[in-house]
Amino acid sequence: MSPYLSQIIQSMVNRNLENYYNKHKESVLVIGTVYGNERRVYGIGDIHPYATTNYSELIYEIGSITKLFTSSLLAHLHYDGFLDIDDSLGQYIPLLPPDSPVTFRHLATHTSGLPGKQIWKEITNLLDHDQNRDSCSVFSLSEAAFYLRRASAEKVGKTYRYSNAGIGLLGHILATEMQTSYELAVQDMITIPLEMPDTSIHLSPEAKTRLVPGYTGHRIAPPIQLKDFPGTGALRSTVSDLLTFLSVHMGVHPNREIFDIYSITQKNHFQKKNNFRVGLGWHQNVEERHYYHSGGTHGYRSFIGFNPDHAFGVVILSNIRNPRIRLNPTSIGMELLQAAKYGTKKS
């Protein structure tokens, strides 16, 4: 990183860390950057209660950044010829007709037709005491499959609607085809090969000593527990692990073969607007060339993003969820990506 760009990023990071902490005294905010093969980690907040002296080793719930692991798992199985992203889900879900127009690509791009929220469904769920559903979705696995039975070829793939159930269903199918759990599938295909020891759903006793508690406002939030849809937001991780994951997607990790596998996730698989495209998991700002995803659980918010033209990426993890505050990991992350883009040009 050039001295000029380094000064810009350092100044902006320091300002955001201080402003964020001033608004949230319970916060432990960590920002990690990668520029080529150079990594830097910044943090603010009290880490004395945890069994580490490094912000990079603190563990957080990463929420919907989990979806990128699910789409990366899909890329692995596609690359290995185990399945094709355009396979009909009818080949994998008995509840669907064999020629269902819905494919893996549609689930990974939020274009399957599954809605994110439905008021009528939320109301009926309140009256249904027999079905346990994950907190992230108004659907259970079987309900999501039954919903897709009505999908028509004329409508599937035409509309983007962010759906936790869609990605959750994708993760369930992939793990089932691998004859294992979602967590073990991610470990076997991603975290073990990439040496990411702190990324998992269930934490070891040692890892729990580094887990930062999440807050909703000033109250400690309950941990997220996803039974049906772990692939949509159940993973926990560190900035260090996520910088490794990000560096592979950016193509700056020594393991070039895995970058070749992941590259399909960054292609344009659906264009919602002129300036908004969707890859497999990744969202893309066309004009700025930013690839990104944000996440949130009951007490955490997160952001991951990069600009391939400038080999710059950023990961931000926070233990505060307060939707009314404009200063958050996503706004900070986007600001840093912009600064790196124009700072690199000026350098």
Side-chain angles (χ1 to χ4, degrees), residues 1 6-7 10 31-34 38-42 239 243:
M1 188 180 298
S6 177
Q7 183 178 2
Q10 181 75 61
I31 300 176
T33 63
V34 55
E38 178 185 344
R39 294 187 183 189
R40 297 184 182 183
V41 175
Y42 315 83
V239 158
L243 286 176

Side-chain angles (χ1 to χ4, degrees), residues 171-228:
H172 174 79
I173 297 171
L174 298 179
T176 300
E177 288 303 304
M178 293 177 64
Q179 299 182 349
T180 187
S181 68
Y182 175 81
E183 183 175 28
L184 290 178
V186 169
Q187 289 176 352
D188 289 344
M189 304 296 286
I190 302 174
T191 62
I192 291 177
L194 292 178
E195 298 181 1
M196 298 166 56
D198 290 322
T199 300
S200 62
I201 296 174
H202 301 96
L203 301 179
S204 68
E206 184 281 325
K208 289 179 181 178
T209 65
R210 293 183 281 120
L211 175 65
V212 182
Y215 284 83
T216 300
H218 299 287
R219 294 179 291 106
I220 292 182
I224 191 167
Q225 295 180 352
L226 302 179
K227 178 182 178 182
D228 285 343

Side-chain angles (χ1 to χ4, degrees), residues 231-272:
T232 202
L235 286 175
R236 295 162 172 85
S237 190
T238 63
V239 158
S240 179
D241 275 10
L242 290 178
L243 286 176
T244 296
F245 182 71
L246 181 59
S247 68
V248 175
H249 277 273
M250 292 172 60
V252 297
H253 189 275
N255 192 330
R256 294 290 301 180
E257 181 182 0
I258 297 187
F259 170 71
D260 292 337
I261 295 172
Y262 288 175
S263 61
I264 190 175
T265 66
Q266 298 167 27
K267 296 182 183 299
N268 176 21
H269 293 276
F270 180 81
Q271 185 149 346
K272 180 183 178 183

